[in-house]
Amino acid sequence: MAEKGIESKTELLKIEETPDVVSLRKCQLIVVEGSDRGKKSPLDKDVVKVGKRDTNDLILSDKTVSRLHFEIEYADDSYILRDLGSTNGTYLNGSRVKEAYLAPGDLIKIGSTTMEFMAYDEKVKIEPSARTEFGKMVGKSQKMRQIFAILEKISPSFATVIIGGETGTGKDLVAQAIHENSPRNGKPFVVFDCSGVAPNLIESELFGHERGAFTGAVKARRGAFEAANGGTIFLDEIGELGLDLQPKLLRALEQREIKRVGSNVSSKIDVRVVCASNRNLRLEIEEGRFREDLYYRLGVVKINLPSLRERNEDIEPIVSALLERGPYNRLPDDTLKVTRVDDEAIKILTRYAWPGNVRELANVLERAVSFVEGDTISRSHLDFIFAEMHHGDEMTERMHVDSSVPFKDAKQIIIEEFEKKYLMDLLQQHGHNLSKASREAKIDRKHLRNLCKKYEIPTKE
């Protein structure tokens, strides 16, 4: 469901024209069985009422349905089904309920009518913000200013957010900016990297544990959710969370409570959740590695950060900001060592594909500053750095070979890394024109298009 104040100011985005940068979760009820089959009702109000009475939001003709049968309330980022004293009761997935939280795909049966609770993504085009900075992010491109506009609207809310994008695009900066521009600013901001904790310890790290809960638990310890109470928790690389833990995270989000490992007592929590992933979570769902109900619970708002090569007009202001903020560019008297990047150097930075995005740009600048004797980064400094970066030995070192997985899987990972890098460079060279790129690479156009879809590389038909 879209946050209040957002929906009225947005319009549908034609996906074939512009890649989406923002999508909002919408929900609806659709009658799948009964005399009103096919009838729909959007859940676009705080409370939606269902029954025979003509003042309901979803009016049913089924005579076995009460005049005011049930309502669905949107509160604290959740949908709550509530029976309103109906004659024949309200059944959720076969069980009679008085009140229950809803998840996508749930079936609600009242009388002879069955409805499905459905969630879907609506891609939206946001009017760009006038500002060119938000938090620590910098960008004058339309895509970034669109993101700044949506962040201005959602930061003060309770909405959960999924941030997508390649490694190094600044997903952590988005999460931090959301927190700093919310009423929770001044309360804890806790970062939890789902890929950086051993699988057998993640539950304890997230929810805490009691003394003696497992070997080595010599004293009780609070987890990341308790540490973030009253503030915001940023779950980085959420796609790495195992299937066994996903239902527990979903329960924590729906019930607003957690249970420490080794405890039978639940504790209420007040935490806003922002998460990020460089994986395609839709694909993870299709392949059975990520729960669809958790995806929709987390993704009230989904923001896809563009890669740096998609917004090269932002490179110059980003360079200025990085040099201004970087501690490596400070002299003992706290003045800036480098105050200028010459035009030729800017051209080189703008033309480079930046597979590592802003993070790679920051690393290049830090190395360049260390070579500069005066106050200006020139082309010669960057020529040396890029030549060193592309030296054969270093490229071999950068190839990650995971010997902990079977040979076939390790080989596939390397192949996919090569394919993605090759295709990104190929499309960049040809202005993302699919036909020109397919002729140059001698790849069937249809096959190239499918590969680009697989790796989420933008193309021009």
Side-chain angles (χ1 to χ4, degrees), residues 5 9 17 119 146 176-177 202 253 264 301 314 346 368 416-417:
K9 296 181 181 179
E17 293 180 0
Q146 283 179 322
Q176 188 174 347
I202 287 184
L253 296 173
N264 295 319
V301 180
D314 291 338
I346 288 292
E416 289 181 353
E417 288 178 353

Side-chain angles (χ1 to χ4, degrees), residues 300-323:
V300 174
V301 180
K302 285 176 278 295
I303 296 173
N304 187 44
L305 288 180
S307 63
L308 192 54
R309 62 187 169 277
E310 295 176 77
R311 54 182 187 109
N312 57 12
E313 66 264 47
D314 291 338
I315 288 177
E316 190 167 0
I318 290 173
V319 166
S320 297
L322 291 172
L323 291 174

Side-chain angles (χ1 to χ4, degrees), residues 22-225:
V22 176
S23 61
L24 306 179
R25 186 189 69 189
K26 295 292 188 71
C27 292
Q28 66 178 358
L29 282 180
I30 180 168
V31 179
V32 295
E33 188 177 308
S35 56
D36 297 292
R37 184 185 175 115
K39 201 167 190 177
K40 300 177 183 179
S41 176
L43 301 177
D44 53 3
K45 298 165 61 177
D46 286 343
V47 178
V48 170
K49 297 184 183 295
V50 179
K52 285 190 304 188
R53 196 167 68 188
D54 59 9
T55 56
N56 287 308
D57 300 288
L58 177 56
I59 304 166
L60 301 174
S61 60
D62 185 353
K63 294 181 179 179
T64 59
V65 169
S66 296
R67 287 172 57 78
L68 187 58
H69 203 109
F70 72 80
E71 68 180 18
I72 294 177
E73 180 184 4
Y74 180 71
D76 291 337
D77 217 14
S78 299
Y79 291 92
I80 304 169
L81 171 68
R82 190 175 293 116
D83 183 83
L84 298 174
S86 64
T87 301
N88 293 319
T90 299
Y91 292 80
L92 179 63
N93 299 324
S95 300
R96 186 165 183 168
V97 296
K98 281 289 185 183
E99 186 173 293
Y101 287 93
L102 291 173
D106 279 350
L107 294 176
I108 304 166
K109 184 173 176 60
I110 57 174
S112 302
T113 298
T114 301
M115 288 157 281
E116 183 177 355
F117 174 73
M118 297 183 64
Y120 61 96
D121 294 339
E122 180 180 85
K123 295 174 178 63
V124 296
K125 183 176 180 180
I126 305 296
E127 196 64 30
S129 171
R131 66 201 297 175
T132 56
E133 292 187 20
F134 192 89
K136 294 182 179 179
M137 292 174 289
V138 176
K140 62 181 182 180
S141 63
Q142 178 169 315
K143 286 185 178 182
M144 288 307 294
R145 289 188 296 112
Q146 283 179 322
I147 289 173
F148 295 165
I150 196 70
L151 292 178
E152 290 168 1
K153 292 178 172 68
I154 66 160
S155 293
S157 74
F158 196 80
T160 53
V161 182
I162 291 179
I163 309 162
E166 297 177 7
T167 299
T169 48
K171 296 185 286 292
D172 55 333
L173 298 183
V174 176
Q176 188 174 347
I178 288 172
H179 174 72
E180 290 175 351
N181 287 272
S182 77
R184 294 168 181 265
N185 186 18
K187 299 293 180 66
F189 176 71
V190 175
V191 179
F192 185 86
D193 184 354
C194 298
S195 66
V197 180
N200 62 323
L201 294 177
I202 287 184
E203 184 176 5
S204 168
E205 292 293 321
L206 272 177
F207 305 125
H209 63 256
E210 297 293 348
R211 180 182 178 184
F214 50 84
T215 304
V218 294
K219 62 180 180 179
R221 183 177 182 274
R222 68 177 185 167
F225 269 92

Side-chain angles (χ1 to χ4, degrees), residues 234-247:
F234 174 45
L235 301 177
D236 199 8
E237 299 303 341
I238 189 70
E240 304 294 330
L241 196 66
L243 280 170
D244 57 330
L245 269 178
Q246 290 177 27

